[in-house]
Amino acid sequence: MAPAKKGILERLDGGEIVLGDGGFVFALEKRGYVKAGPWTPEAAAEHPEAVRQLHREFLRAGSNVMQTFTFYASDDKLENRGNNLQFTGQQINGAACDLAREVADEGDALVAGGVSQTPSYLSCKSEDEVKAIFKKQMDVFIKKDVDFLIAEYFEHVEEAEWAVHVLKSSGKPVAVSLCIGPEGDLNGVSPGDCAVRLVKAGAQIVGVNCHFDPTTCVKTVKLMKEGVERAGLKAHYMVQPLAFHTPDCNRQGFIDLPEFPFALEPRILTRWDVQKYAREAYDAGIRYIGGCCGFEPYHIRAVAEELGVERGFLPAASEKHGMWGSCLDMHTKPWVRARARRDYWEKLKPASGRPFCPSMSTPDSWGMTKGHGDLMQQKEATSEEQLKQLFQKAKVNI
């Protein structure tokens, strides 16, 4: 028998660096397996080969955690706005667990079952109703015996607290990740206060994911860490940012950018940007380091390579990659061989190739959060009249 793997807390308590994976919904949307808009993960049941392959690529790149492809897999989200699917939430969550476990067992990786924010919370459903949604997903995770649980992508700390209350009843380690920046959640609760509330709710790992770039996310986790330490509490810290530069974002993050979601490519991080991020996260005391939307396996490989000395090894994918471009010494063209050095790539300021485009955008700022009429969700498809009203509001908000 293979030796038992160390659990997530055993690894973090021992000072190990744990590498997360990347952004499955964005990666699989680009590959033709996820529909933008609902962003739901039925591909786990519809196209398991696609999900399995992406897990394998992240494992090869260095990921220590295979997160179940269960983002937005609560029943209320799967049924939201006319999203008629052939599979139940239970089937999707179960299939996602099986795929993550299959690939995790091919290496030294753990399986994390994940829940995320719900349409029911935005629609002002009760605490009991929202918690029942989380529990339904958690029951599948317990049955499938995932290694730990993650509550991720929460804009409101209150809903994240409710998720933690449910997940900690499993007896498994709980991580929680908000999609907030330095300004705090959408109700103005500061990152430090958010973190304190989540640790008191029972989370052992706290941090942020999505909505902002690495620089902003690392800054936010630093604020969370300061708040937890100021309160005399202890926690481990995680960060899984976007693979997009977002210096022009407001509190809502990248979904307010006019390029979201179909024109974000000019903002993509290079592998060298990611190496800088990995170092900044490590120096900030963050030991669970991964990525969210836009992060591809080569980005995770960059994290693994930047922290290779600290981890004591490189991932299998580094067999096909020279550190800091060293593999270019094999190129046929001499001017490309001349780029086989660290100082070249560290100092490079990449051009966009778009001479008539601005470097920054003006985000939408509709200022809506839980309780606003336009954020009330529905099972029925969005009507033509509802769209006309939104188009008109968009013109007013330009």
Side-chain angles (χ1 to χ4, degrees):
M1 290 181 60
K5 296 178 184 178
K6 289 188 287 186
I8 186 66
L9 294 181
E10 187 179 359
R11 297 181 191 212
L12 293 172
D13 288 343
E16 291 185 29
I17 302 166
V18 173
L19 299 193
D21 52 15
F24 269 62
V25 288
F26 262 52
L28 289 170
E29 190 277 333
K30 288 179 170 63
R31 290 159 168 79
Y33 298 103
V34 165
K35 181 184 288 186
W39 301 110
T40 47
E42 60 270 17
E46 281 183 342
H47 299 286
E49 73 287 350
V51 178
R52 182 186 296 109
Q53 176 62 24
L54 191 54
H55 276 308
R56 282 191 174 133
E57 290 179 20
F58 279 115
L59 180 71
R60 178 174 169 80
S63 295
N64 301 121
V65 176
M66 299 293 104
Q67 196 166 327
T68 58
F69 186 39
T70 52
F71 176 79
Y72 274 170
S74 60
D75 284 346
D76 61 337
K77 186 66 175 75
L78 294 171
E79 299 169 353
N80 198 46
R81 296 196 175 276
N83 191 28
N84 296 316
L85 302 177
Q86 298 177 354
F87 299 92
T88 65
Q90 187 173 27
Q91 289 173 319
I92 293 169
N93 282 278
C97 289
D98 291 341
L99 291 167
R101 176 62 69 194
E102 177 186 348
V103 178
D105 285 349
E106 295 172 4
D108 186 33
L110 301 173
V111 175
V115 302
S116 47
Q117 66 182 8
T118 64
S120 292
Y121 181 82
L122 284 180
S123 298
C124 300
K125 295 292 180 64
S126 71
E127 179 177 349
D128 286 344
E129 289 174 298
V130 174
K131 283 184 172 180
I133 291 169
F134 294 138
K135 186 178 185 304
K136 195 169 183 180
Q137 277 189 275
M138 183 188 72
D139 287 344
V140 178
F141 300 148
I142 293 174
K143 181 179 178 181
K144 295 293 185 177
D145 196 27
V146 300
D147 298 304
F148 68 103
L149 299 166
I150 297 180
E152 69 165 3
Y153 195 80
F154 285 85
E155 297 170 308
H156 303 86
V157 68
E158 179 183 57
E159 187 183 13
E161 284 179 294
W162 295 354
V164 173
H165 291 155
V166 172
L167 298 184
K168 74 174 185 177
S169 69
S170 69
K172 294 180 180 291
V174 175
V176 59
S177 187
L178 305 177
C179 49
I180 66 171
E183 295 180 59
D185 83 345
L186 293 190
N187 287 327
V189 182
S190 72
D193 287 345
C194 283
V196 168
R197 287 172 60 170
L198 295 170
V199 172
K200 287 182 176 180
Q204 294 107 328
I205 308 165
V206 297
V208 298
N209 78 293
C210 207
H211 273 208
F212 297 95
D213 60 24
T215 299
T216 306
C217 285
V218 170
K219 179 180 179 181
T220 305
V221 179
K222 284 182 180 179
L223 294 172
M224 299 177 94
K225 187 171 184 283
E226 290 170 4
V228 170
E229 291 173 350
R230 202 163 42 238
L233 301 171
K234 291 184 178 181
H236 295 291
Y237 300 94
M238 69 186 299
V239 62
Q240 301 203 96
L242 299 173
F244 304 108
H245 293 285
T246 62
D248 41 354
C249 276
N250 56 22
R251 178 178 293 187
Q252 186 74 67
F254 82 141
I255 61 174
D256 269 14
L257 293 176
E259 298 93 345
F260 176 86
F262 297 130
L264 289 164
E265 283 81 359
R267 296 174 175 263
I268 289 176
L269 304 180
T270 69
R271 64 196 68 197
W272 318 120
D273 293 328
V274 173
Q275 290 205 204
K276 180 182 177 183
Y277 147 62
R279 182 56 54 190
E280 290 176 349
Y282 181 83
D283 289 346
I286 303 167
R287 293 296 178 266
Y288 189 134
I289 304 171
C292 200
C293 298
F295 261 75
E296 291 279 348
Y298 76 94
H299 288 119
I300 295 299
R301 179 180 63 187
V303 176
E305 290 183 345
E306 175 63 29
L307 300 176
V309 172
E310 289 80 2
R311 298 178 79 214
F313 62 94
L314 293 174
S318 291
E319 297 169 5
K320 297 295 184 181
H321 186 244
M323 293 287 286
W324 290 103
S326 61
C327 54
L328 296 181
D329 64 2
M330 302 173 69
H331 202 278
T332 56
K333 302 297 190 289
W335 56 91
V336 179
R337 291 199 298 275
R339 299 170 190 163
R341 64 188 195 278
R342 177 171 181 163
D343 66 314
Y344 176 86
W345 295 108
E346 274 191 319
K347 295 175 182 177
L348 182 70
K349 296 187 183 301
S352 70
R354 297 173 180 270
F356 303 110
C357 292
S359 61
M360 306 265 267
S361 296
T362 301
D364 290 331
S365 297
W366 287 28
M368 297 177 184
T369 188
K370 177 193 175 186
H372 191 284
D374 285 340
L375 281 179
M376 294 296 177
Q377 302 302 306
Q378 62 191 50
K379 282 190 177 182
E380 300 77 23
T382 305
S383 68
E384 289 294 328
E385 183 56 35
Q386 288 173 321
L387 284 175
K388 286 180 182 178
Q389 292 174 11
L390 291 176
F391 296 157
Q392 187 59 39
K393 286 184 180 181
K395 292 179 182 178
V396 172
N397 282 284
I398 290 177

